[in-house]
Amino acid sequence: MSDARQPTSLATARSTEQDAALRATSLIHQGWRQLARLAPAAPACWLASPGQPLRPLSRAEMMARVDAWHQWLDNLPAAHAGRRPGARWVLFQPTALGACVQLLALWERGMLAVLPGDDRPETLARLAESCDGKLPETSAAGWPPEQSGAASSVAAPNTPFEITPDGARLALELCTSGSTGEPLRIAKRFDQLEAELAVHRTLWPLATDASGTDSASEPGTVSLSQVSHQHIYGLLVSLLRPLSEGVPFLSEACHYPEQLAAAIAQLSGLGHRCQLVSSPAQLARLPQTSDESRVAGQAQDQEQAQLLRVFSSGAPLPAEAARHAENCLQAPVIEIYGSTETGGIAHRRQHETPHWTPLPEVELRFSPDFAVRSPFLEQPDQWWQQADNAAPLTPEPPSQGEQNNAPRFQLLGRSDRLVKLAGKRVSLSAVERCLSAQAEVLEVRCLPMPTRDHRLGAVVVMEESTLPQDHASRRDLIARLRRALMPGFERIALPRYWRFVTRLPLNAQGKFTADSVARLFADLDDHRLPRWLGETSSGPQQLTLEAEVPDSLCYLEGHFAAQPLVPGVVMLKWARDLGRRLRLAGVGVQESRFQRLERIKFSNLLLPGMRFSLAATLVADSHGLRVDFRLESRAGLHASGRLRYGADTDSAPLSSPLSSPLSSPLSSPQTTPTPEAS
């Protein structure tokens, strides 16, 4: 009789193992705890510290940090609304590890995470009105404030949290980063996240073992990211997916190519392969290098490649950029098309085809409008209309034997965007098409100005050699572009405010956001500012600002009647402001430690309308920190020098010469009217 029961017992055991493996990849069933029990010593992530080699953090160590955040929540006052299940917490963390441990603690208590797209005070203040609290920033190693990073054990939470698995329960809310208007709050349930993670696991296998029992010494896959986990794409692909499959991820994003190359090289040296989650904005920054100096080294075959694959999302990747990225990184570049609201819709690899293939279980409709229906939507049975236009490659429906009932398709650009200006309807798409047809113009974005009623702004992308460099050439270019619009548009549709750039200032997700718009046009409302046109950086210790001198700059007044010019002390102020944003090994300058100016030179006059670049570099030497700067234009060098900041052990700092001459103009923003073609 015992022999007769053995096959059933064996089948039951196998079924139990399969169920355990399935639960180990489940967010609903808190699979991270299951994975930690299966292999507590396996790496959960790799800790990145400035100037130090990467080191593995085990799953047990990560769970200790999660428990520490439980303890932090337990220590809140008994009457605090944030202690109850269902509480809503604002979660913004600069590191993936910090976001991960806080998110898991909230989910284990049945709470909801609200993820803002940025940490600007006004953003956080707006969210705080509808939430129960904001979680503080973790340490670099993921601990709560004042928690020792060397803590070997943390007390278990006072109250066990047995949350019944429920895919219909809300997991989080994301804030979209649109180019205009208030950000939208998009809620995501656990079953929506699980459905999309399952599709990724099917299409692009990541873990070699469902239980994820690899140790740090055994080769495996490591997930690297260049995008923010505060947005759906970065959260899903670079954090939740490796977390649910037991694949370690890097604790911080590799924002710069140098960081990325160093991480790939070290992990490759340990026998690991990497998966990179990136964006068009990041891939565009890859160095234009020769075959001998790629970011990822060349391998004999794909099995030995340092990079398994590269993901890109946020915007379509230009064909040349896709080709260069594959050559530079020596890995297939897979683009994901989708949005915060819809989740993923389609994918492509341009090395194989320029067209998009719908993700499994995603249905598409092309007439009367382009719409999507999928299990990733809040209402999976309803059609969601897209803002893009698209067309299928073949008009006839696919055969019944095909797994996917939606054909490949091509994107045809954004749908016509209509705005009302002074009671008249204006097509922004039509204005952009007309401007894009001009010889000098590579790309255009038109938008209604948020602080200028009934007027349009235009951000025009041009080759660097054709950019206007002074007042006269800028006026001539604006006049030519306006003349090109006049035959087909009323005067109200002609942009009044123009910004000329070498590339659109996109965020890490490849989006042209309201924040970028605000920076481009900030000088219209604050006349102390140069006209910001973009930034480039080779690392946190270096930053180059591209800007123009606006005619409305308040510091021109009184300097001088015959020929207005930018005073030297204003150039020093701009250099100081830029230097305060720099970091060296995580440390920046303190204004209270300012000591003196060194090697200051003013070589040429900086005049209204001039386009200039201001480069600042933070350097450490035996005397402390200093900011080296150079301000130059096509006319040559205008200013250069050093701002010296003492070490903490230095004597009391000298008073700064950068404040007193400018104290009056800096006291409040200037809001005088601006010229017609600003």
Side-chain angles (χ1 to χ4, degrees), residues 354-394:
H355 303 118
W356 297 90
T357 300
L359 294 172
E361 301 186 53
V362 171
E363 298 178 72
L364 299 181
R365 183 185 70 194
F366 299 95
S367 178
D369 47 39
F370 180 38
V372 60
R373 185 164 64 183
S374 86
F376 316 149
L377 284 163
E378 182 181 4
Q379 298 176 314
D381 296 330
Q382 295 187 11
W383 290 100
W384 180 279
Q385 184 174 343
Q386 289 294 102
D388 295 306
N389 289 319
L393 295 190
T394 54

Side-chain angles (χ1 to χ4, degrees), residues 502-523:
T502 54
R503 61 185 179 189
L504 290 175
L506 307 177
N507 68 2
Q509 281 66 45
K511 303 290 187 181
F512 184 54
T513 66
D515 183 58
S516 297
V517 173
R519 298 184 76 180
L520 283 165
F521 295 96
D523 63 285

Side-chain angles (χ1 to χ4, degrees), residues 355-541:
H355 303 118
W356 297 90
T357 300
L359 294 172
E361 301 186 53
V362 171
E363 298 178 72
L364 299 181
R365 183 185 70 194
F366 299 95
S367 178
D369 47 39
F370 180 38
V372 60
R373 185 164 64 183
S374 86
F376 316 149
L377 284 163
E378 182 181 4
Q379 298 176 314
D381 296 330
Q382 295 187 11
W383 290 100
W384 180 279
Q385 184 174 343
Q386 289 294 102
D388 295 306
N389 289 319
L393 295 190
T394 54
E396 66 274 5
S399 64
Q400 294 182 351
E402 292 188 31
Q403 292 183 345
N404 196 345
N405 62 353
R408 284 187 178 182
F409 63 96
Q410 55 184 330
L411 289 174
L412 303 176
R414 303 286 286 183
S415 300
D416 220 25
R417 290 139 48 226
L418 297 176
V419 296
K420 268 198 171 182
L421 301 174
K424 297 182 180 294
R425 295 171 69 85
V426 175
S427 168
L428 299 182
S429 300
V431 176
E432 291 172 353
R433 284 193 295 268
C434 183
L435 290 174
S436 297
Q438 309 311 306
E440 308 102 316
V441 177
L442 301 178
E443 188 178 359
V444 184
R445 292 291 176 89
C446 289
L447 61 154
M449 297 301 298
T451 61
R452 294 293 189 276
D453 290 341
H454 313 309
R455 291 296 180 180
L456 291 183
V459 184
V460 182
V461 181
M462 306 172 65
E463 294 285 357
E464 187 173 0
S465 60
T466 62
L467 287 170
Q469 300 295 326
D470 53 33
H471 188 282
S473 61
R474 189 174 188 275
R475 287 282 182 175
D476 289 345
L477 176 59
I478 291 173
R480 290 200 307 274
L481 295 176
R482 286 171 66 91
R483 281 198 300 270
L485 291 169
M486 286 178 182
F489 299 90
E490 297 185 60
R491 289 189 62 84
I492 193 66
L494 307 186
R496 172 178 280 192
Y497 306 104
W498 300 80
R499 299 294 180 263
F500 301 101
V501 299
T502 54
R503 61 185 179 189
L504 290 175
L506 307 177
N507 68 2
Q509 281 66 45
K511 303 290 187 181
F512 184 54
T513 66
D515 183 58
S516 297
V517 173
R519 298 184 76 180
L520 283 165
F521 295 96
D523 63 285
L524 295 178
D525 298 309
D526 189 343
H527 292 219
R528 302 166 299 179
L529 301 175
R531 180 172 292 143
W532 185 90
L533 298 174
E535 297 174 355
T536 57
S537 175
S538 60
Q541 78 286 351

Side-chain angles (χ1 to χ4, degrees), residues 154-169:
V154 176
N158 293 334
T159 305
F161 291 92
E162 298 294 337
I163 304 299
T164 303
D166 182 7
R169 183 162 60 91

Side-chain angles (χ1 to χ4, degrees), residues 515-584:
D515 183 58
S516 297
V517 173
R519 298 184 76 180
L520 283 165
F521 295 96
D523 63 285
L524 295 178
D525 298 309
D526 189 343
H527 292 219
R528 302 166 299 179
L529 301 175
R531 180 172 292 143
W532 185 90
L533 298 174
E535 297 174 355
T536 57
S537 175
S538 60
Q541 78 286 351
Q542 191 278 331
L543 193 59
T544 299
L545 167 72
E546 297 293 328
E548 285 176 346
V549 180
D551 293 342
S552 57
L553 185 71
C554 64
Y555 304 127
L556 299 175
E557 187 176 352
H559 302 87
F560 293 94
Q563 173 59 72
L565 56 85
V566 179
V569 70
V570 175
M571 290 186 259
L572 292 177
K573 175 195 178 306
W574 290 345
R576 178 198 66 180
D577 291 345
L578 197 63
R580 291 167 66 180
R581 298 170 54 194
L582 303 177
R583 294 291 182 270
L584 187 64

